[in-house]
Amino acid sequence: MTSPDAADPAALRPRLPTPVQEVVDERFERYGVRLVLKRDDLIHPELIGNKWRKLAPNLAAANGRTVVTFGGAYSNHLRATAAAGRLLGLPTVGVVRGQELAGRPLNPSLARCAADGMRLHFVDRSVYRRKTDPETLAAVLRAAGAEDAYVVPEGGSNALAVRGCRALGAELRDRADVVAVACGTGGTLAGLAAGLAAGRRALGIPVLKGGFLDAGVRALQREAFGGPRGDWSLDDRFHFGGYARTTPELDDFAEEFERRHGLPVERLYVAKLLYGLVALAREGAFARGTTVAAVITGRPFPEPGPRRAPAPLSRPPGEGREAGAGG
């Protein structure tokens, strides 16, 4: 039985527009660059950042039906979808990568999903890789008992989500020259770029290695808008080995940023974004007088002990002790 609000994500009461916070940081000031933080982590206490922007239009489209979506064992997207389901009275099913996880105790992320009422369905990794194939998807939905469900893709990135993220760019139209965001599936960047004013540009910092996002962002913009929109680019150097990977250097940088600015830094996305921006400022990538906005898309959650990359993958953003700590 769904609640009367099930088709109305406005009932989630987002804080919009989200605040823009200026920070004073000499690692930018010495190059004549102004840094501001777009605090999308404050948009909603449980549907944080781009998760609200991407899910809200999809929840409206679900119109009270069960929502099925996909993710790994520590997926922010699965947690957000489960929370939305609880808040709106929508049934949710999470298709989790890794059949071997089915017989193990739930980690903190999946335990949160289950506590919020999400039914978890574990699938073999080879099946998961083929989840966008229509026949495979149909078989997964049958096995999960959710053949009539509304399907949201992994990471929440589809045409509706991209159009929802366009508002993020619109909120920053006159606030920054460059708007930077960490990227997983590319949907936020695709929408953000479309919402920016002419003469402004969007910068994506992928947190996964592989260099595949360029084609993905283009495909999402075609699906959402019929063609390219806005000025955007990607810098693939700051993934630190891939998703959920880090190095002592990145951990030190995040801790130092937290101490400097009182901002809890989420490690899997936000730390890599901020590290990349410090490095780019040092390289002279931003002209003097540029205002750069960093979109803070999340906040820390009990995460897996991050796997260590074997060595730093990018140029340190400072020198000496400041280099290691990003300070």
Side-chain angles (χ1 to χ4, degrees), residues 6 28 30 88 108 111 114 151 174 185 194 197 208 234 255 261 263 292 296 320:
F28 294 88
R30 70 178 64 146
L88 295 176
V151 177
D174 300 317
T185 53
L208 290 82
L234 294 162
E255 290 171 8
H261 303 299
L263 174 78
V292 176
I296 307 303

PDB file of all heavy atoms in Angstrom, residues 6 28 30 88 108 111 114 151 174 185 194 197 208 234 255 261 263 292 296 320:
ATOM      1  N   ALA A   6       3.252   9.136  -2.645  1.00  0.00           N
ATOM      2  CA  ALA A   6       4.172   8.271  -3.374  1.00  0.00           C
ATOM      3  C   ALA A   6       4.530   8.816  -4.745  1.00  0.00           C
ATOM      4  O   ALA A   6       5.624   8.576  -5.236  1.00  0.00           O
ATOM      5  CB  ALA A   6       3.578   6.867  -3.514  1.00  0.00           C
ATOM      6  N   PHE A  28      44.385  28.390  -3.839  1.00  0.00           N
ATOM      7  CA  PHE A  28      43.710  28.982  -4.988  1.00  0.00           C
ATOM      8  C   PHE A  28      44.029  30.468  -5.094  1.00  0.00           C
ATOM      9  O   PHE A  28      44.281  30.981  -6.190  1.00  0.00           O
ATOM     10  CB  PHE A  28      42.193  28.766  -4.883  1.00  0.00           C
ATOM     11  CG  PHE A  28      41.798  27.330  -4.986  1.00  0.00           C
ATOM     12  CD1 PHE A  28      41.747  26.510  -3.866  1.00  0.00           C
ATOM     13  CD2 PHE A  28      41.483  26.765  -6.219  1.00  0.00           C
ATOM     14  CE1 PHE A  28      41.394  25.175  -3.963  1.00  0.00           C
ATOM     15  CE2 PHE A  28      41.129  25.435  -6.334  1.00  0.00           C
ATOM     16  CZ  PHE A  28      41.084  24.631  -5.205  1.00  0.00           C
ATOM     17  N   ARG A  30      46.618  32.159  -4.336  1.00  0.00           N
ATOM     18  CA  ARG A  30      47.952  32.518  -4.841  1.00  0.00           C
ATOM     19  C   ARG A  30      47.990  32.527  -6.364  1.00  0.00           C
ATOM     20  O   ARG A  30      48.887  33.130  -6.963  1.00  0.00           O
ATOM     21  CB  ARG A  30      49.011  31.565  -4.282  1.00  0.00           C
ATOM     22  CG  ARG A  30      48.951  30.148  -4.835  1.00  0.00           C
ATOM     23  CD  ARG A  30      50.058  29.270  -4.269  1.00  0.00           C
ATOM     24  NE  ARG A  30      49.938  29.072  -2.838  1.00  0.00           N
ATOM     25  CZ  ARG A  30      50.280  27.940  -2.212  1.00  0.00           C
ATOM     26  NH1 ARG A  30      50.755  26.907  -2.913  1.00  0.00           N
ATOM     27  NH2 ARG A  30      50.157  27.835  -0.910  1.00  0.00           N
ATOM     28  N   LEU A  88       8.449   8.000   1.083  1.00  0.00           N
ATOM     29  CA  LEU A  88       7.279   8.170   0.217  1.00  0.00           C
ATOM     30  C   LEU A  88       6.327   6.982   0.258  1.00  0.00           C
ATOM     31  O   LEU A  88       5.267   7.013  -0.374  1.00  0.00           O
ATOM     32  CB  LEU A  88       7.732   8.401  -1.234  1.00  0.00           C
ATOM     33  CG  LEU A  88       8.517   9.688  -1.493  1.00  0.00           C
ATOM     34  CD1 LEU A  88       8.988   9.730  -2.943  1.00  0.00           C
ATOM     35  CD2 LEU A  88       7.676  10.915  -1.177  1.00  0.00           C
ATOM     36  N   PRO A 108      27.350  -2.169   6.428  1.00  0.00           N
ATOM     37  CA  PRO A 108      26.544  -1.045   6.926  1.00  0.00           C
ATOM     38  C   PRO A 108      25.687  -0.379   5.850  1.00  0.00           C
ATOM     39  O   PRO A 108      24.563   0.056   6.137  1.00  0.00           O
ATOM     40  CB  PRO A 108      27.590  -0.072   7.472  1.00  0.00           C
ATOM     41  CG  PRO A 108      28.740  -0.951   7.861  1.00  0.00           C
ATOM     42  CD  PRO A 108      28.761  -2.046   6.836  1.00  0.00           C
ATOM     43  N   ALA A 111      22.839  -2.799   5.003  1.00  0.00           N
ATOM     44  CA  ALA A 111      21.969  -2.875   6.185  1.00  0.00           C
ATOM     45  C   ALA A 111      21.065  -1.656   6.270  1.00  0.00           C
ATOM     46  O   ALA A 111      19.890  -1.762   6.650  1.00  0.00           O
ATOM     47  CB  ALA A 111      22.820  -3.005   7.446  1.00  0.00           C
ATOM     48  N   ALA A 114      18.252  -2.177   3.757  1.00  0.00           N
ATOM     49  CA  ALA A 114      17.251  -3.123   4.255  1.00  0.00           C
ATOM     50  C   ALA A 114      16.411  -2.507   5.365  1.00  0.00           C
ATOM     51  O   ALA A 114      15.190  -2.712   5.429  1.00  0.00           O
ATOM     52  CB  ALA A 114      17.950  -4.391   4.749  1.00  0.00           C
ATOM     53  N   VAL A 151      11.972   0.867 -13.558  1.00  0.00           N
ATOM     54  CA  VAL A 151      13.406   0.585 -13.475  1.00  0.00           C
ATOM     55  C   VAL A 151      14.207   1.882 -13.575  1.00  0.00           C
ATOM     56  O   VAL A 151      14.034   2.663 -14.516  1.00  0.00           O
ATOM     57  CB  VAL A 151      13.839  -0.390 -14.585  1.00  0.00           C
ATOM     58  CG1 VAL A 151      15.353  -0.616 -14.537  1.00  0.00           C
ATOM     59  CG2 VAL A 151      13.104  -1.722 -14.438  1.00  0.00           C
ATOM     60  N   ASP A 174      25.153  32.488 -12.649  1.00  0.00           N
ATOM     61  CA  ASP A 174      25.869  33.744 -12.442  1.00  0.00           C
ATOM     62  C   ASP A 174      26.810  33.690 -11.243  1.00  0.00           C
ATOM     63  O   ASP A 174      27.281  34.725 -10.777  1.00  0.00           O
ATOM     64  CB  ASP A 174      24.864  34.889 -12.245  1.00  0.00           C
ATOM     65  CG  ASP A 174      23.942  35.058 -13.441  1.00  0.00           C
ATOM     66  OD1 ASP A 174      24.449  35.000 -14.578  1.00  0.00           O
ATOM     67  OD2 ASP A 174      22.725  35.230 -13.231  1.00  0.00           O
ATOM     68  N   THR A 185      28.640   7.971 -13.149  1.00  0.00           N
ATOM     69  CA  THR A 185      28.011   7.573 -14.410  1.00  0.00           C
ATOM     70  C   THR A 185      27.878   8.736 -15.395  1.00  0.00           C
ATOM     71  O   THR A 185      27.550   8.508 -16.557  1.00  0.00           O
ATOM     72  CB  THR A 185      26.615   6.988 -14.135  1.00  0.00           C
ATOM     73  OG1 THR A 185      25.852   7.922 -13.353  1.00  0.00           O
ATOM     74  CG2 THR A 185      26.714   5.679 -13.374  1.00  0.00           C
ATOM     75  N   ALA A 194      24.241  21.524 -19.272  1.00  0.00           N
ATOM     76  CA  ALA A 194      23.102  22.056 -20.029  1.00  0.00           C
ATOM     77  C   ALA A 194      22.462  23.247 -19.342  1.00  0.00           C
ATOM     78  O   ALA A 194      21.847  24.091 -20.002  1.00  0.00           O
ATOM     79  CB  ALA A 194      22.055  20.957 -20.232  1.00  0.00           C
ATOM     80  N   ALA A 197      25.034  29.050 -17.976  1.00  0.00           N
ATOM     81  CA  ALA A 197      24.907  30.156 -18.924  1.00  0.00           C
ATOM     82  C   ALA A 197      26.011  30.066 -19.974  1.00  0.00           C
ATOM     83  O   ALA A 197      27.055  29.437 -19.764  1.00  0.00           O
ATOM     84  CB  ALA A 197      24.984  31.488 -18.185  1.00  0.00           C
ATOM     85  N   LEU A 208      36.143   6.774 -11.492  1.00  0.00           N
ATOM     86  CA  LEU A 208      36.445   5.447 -12.016  1.00  0.00           C
ATOM     87  C   LEU A 208      37.473   5.596 -13.122  1.00  0.00           C
ATOM     88  O   LEU A 208      37.461   6.577 -13.872  1.00  0.00           O
ATOM     89  CB  LEU A 208      35.200   4.762 -12.584  1.00  0.00           C
ATOM     90  CG  LEU A 208      34.120   4.312 -11.608  1.00  0.00           C
ATOM     91  CD1 LEU A 208      33.207   5.476 -11.236  1.00  0.00           C
ATOM     92  CD2 LEU A 208      33.286   3.194 -12.230  1.00  0.00           C
ATOM     93  N   LEU A 234      36.303  16.607 -19.321  1.00  0.00           N
ATOM     94  CA  LEU A 234      36.644  15.646 -18.270  1.00  0.00           C
ATOM     95  C   LEU A 234      38.149  15.655 -18.043  1.00  0.00           C
ATOM     96  O   LEU A 234      38.926  15.843 -18.988  1.00  0.00           O
ATOM     97  CB  LEU A 234      36.209  14.237 -18.679  1.00  0.00           C
ATOM     98  CG  LEU A 234      34.706  13.982 -18.821  1.00  0.00           C
ATOM     99  CD1 LEU A 234      34.467  12.708 -19.634  1.00  0.00           C
ATOM    100  CD2 LEU A 234      34.053  13.858 -17.452  1.00  0.00           C
ATOM    101  N   GLU A 255      41.633  15.008   5.115  1.00  0.00           N
ATOM    102  CA  GLU A 255      41.647  15.390   6.527  1.00  0.00           C
ATOM    103  C   GLU A 255      42.076  16.840   6.701  1.00  0.00           C
ATOM    104  O   GLU A 255      41.522  17.576   7.530  1.00  0.00           O
ATOM    105  CB  GLU A 255      42.579  14.452   7.297  1.00  0.00           C
ATOM    106  CG  GLU A 255      42.039  13.036   7.417  1.00  0.00           C
ATOM    107  CD  GLU A 255      43.054  12.066   7.980  1.00  0.00           C
ATOM    108  OE1 GLU A 255      44.146  12.536   8.424  1.00  0.00           O
ATOM    109  OE2 GLU A 255      42.784  10.850   7.991  1.00  0.00           O
ATOM    110  N   HIS A 261      38.524  23.937   6.626  1.00  0.00           N
ATOM    111  CA  HIS A 261      37.265  24.560   6.227  1.00  0.00           C
ATOM    112  C   HIS A 261      36.031  24.027   6.946  1.00  0.00           C
ATOM    113  O   HIS A 261      34.914  24.467   6.666  1.00  0.00           O
ATOM    114  CB  HIS A 261      37.073  24.415   4.712  1.00  0.00           C
ATOM    115  CG  HIS A 261      38.205  25.003   3.920  1.00  0.00           C
ATOM    116  ND1 HIS A 261      38.534  26.340   3.989  1.00  0.00           N
ATOM    117  CD2 HIS A 261      39.097  24.441   3.062  1.00  0.00           C
ATOM    118  CE1 HIS A 261      39.576  26.576   3.195  1.00  0.00           C
ATOM    119  NE2 HIS A 261      39.935  25.447   2.632  1.00  0.00           N
ATOM    120  N   LEU A 263      34.500  21.275   6.679  1.00  0.00           N
ATOM    121  CA  LEU A 263      33.607  20.540   5.785  1.00  0.00           C
ATOM    122  C   LEU A 263      33.912  19.056   5.870  1.00  0.00           C
ATOM    123  O   LEU A 263      35.032  18.644   5.549  1.00  0.00           O
ATOM    124  CB  LEU A 263      33.789  21.013   4.337  1.00  0.00           C
ATOM    125  CG  LEU A 263      33.005  20.221   3.288  1.00  0.00           C
ATOM    126  CD1 LEU A 263      31.540  20.650   3.290  1.00  0.00           C
ATOM    127  CD2 LEU A 263      33.607  20.403   1.897  1.00  0.00           C
ATOM    128  N   VAL A 292      35.773  29.338  -9.388  1.00  0.00           N
ATOM    129  CA  VAL A 292      35.524  27.906  -9.567  1.00  0.00           C
ATOM    130  C   VAL A 292      34.554  27.453  -8.482  1.00  0.00           C
ATOM    131  O   VAL A 292      34.773  27.707  -7.292  1.00  0.00           O
ATOM    132  CB  VAL A 292      36.829  27.099  -9.468  1.00  0.00           C
ATOM    133  CG1 VAL A 292      36.546  25.597  -9.558  1.00  0.00           C
ATOM    134  CG2 VAL A 292      37.805  27.513 -10.568  1.00  0.00           C
ATOM    135  N   ILE A 296      29.533  19.892  -4.039  1.00  0.00           N
ATOM    136  CA  ILE A 296      29.706  18.905  -2.967  1.00  0.00           C
ATOM    137  C   ILE A 296      28.489  17.981  -3.010  1.00  0.00           C
ATOM    138  O   ILE A 296      27.406  18.321  -2.551  1.00  0.00           O
ATOM    139  CB  ILE A 296      29.833  19.598  -1.596  1.00  0.00           C
ATOM    140  CG1 ILE A 296      30.922  20.670  -1.633  1.00  0.00           C
ATOM    141  CG2 ILE A 296      30.119  18.561  -0.520  1.00  0.00           C
ATOM    142  CD1 ILE A 296      32.294  20.166  -2.040  1.00  0.00           C
ATOM    143  N   GLY A 320      56.360  19.875  -0.293  1.00  0.00           N
ATOM    144  CA  GLY A 320      56.704  19.485   1.065  1.00  0.00           C
ATOM    145  C   GLY A 320      55.539  18.833   1.774  1.00  0.00           C
ATOM    146  O   GLY A 320      54.768  18.071   1.194  1.00  0.00           O
TER     147      GLY A 320
END
